[in-house]
Amino acid sequence: MAKLPRPQAPARFRAVFPDLADWLESPWTGPPPFLTGQVFRLEEATRDDRYVIRAELPGLDPENDIEVTVDGRILTIRAERRQQDNGPYRSEFRYGSLARAVRLPARVDAADVTARYDRGVLEVSVPVPAVKQEGTRIPIEDADAMPEQPPDQAG
């Protein structure tokens, strides 16, 4: 039985998305290169009265390789992983500068933000101000819950 040739991407598709076309036509070697850019994974949650951002940054020195900044409602985490030797024969590690920006729920003072690095995870904690209710709440009557009253009978 003859092997069928693998279909080639149309020229127009290849011109617009060359990396994707090459990846689709090559044997499986892992995730496509355009999805494995210089990023790191984040996790965001609200705990008690704090907004917590956790970032996976294993193998970094928090004093020299990681920087956290706050500008208004934007919190930015920058990290740099430096290659320490001439490079192994094969490596899936990512080297270079990494950065992520997170929009905070409200403006914060940078002095109130705390950051802690433990076992490769950076945890940044931001106070969330109490939400002030605007205006006065008006009660709503439920017409179905009120008993019907007969019309006034003047007599």
Side-chain angles (χ1 to χ4, degrees), residues 60-81:
L60 298 179
D61 177 3
E63 291 182 22
N64 298 316
D65 300 336
I66 302 173
E67 177 184 78
V68 178
T69 58
V70 174
D71 185 12
R73 290 184 66 180
I74 304 296
L75 179 130
T76 304
I77 301 171
R78 288 183 181 80
E80 185 168 352
R81 179 172 287 127

Side-chain angles (χ1 to χ4, degrees), residues 8-9 22 26 34 43 50 58 75-76 79-80 82-83 99 106 122 132 143 146 152:
Q8 299 293 307
D22 290 343
S26 67
F34 49 86
E43 180 176 88
R50 308 218 32 110
L75 179 130
T76 304
E80 185 168 352
R82 295 170 188 87
Q83 194 163 355
L122 174 71
K132 296 177 184 173
M146 296 178 63
D152 277 350

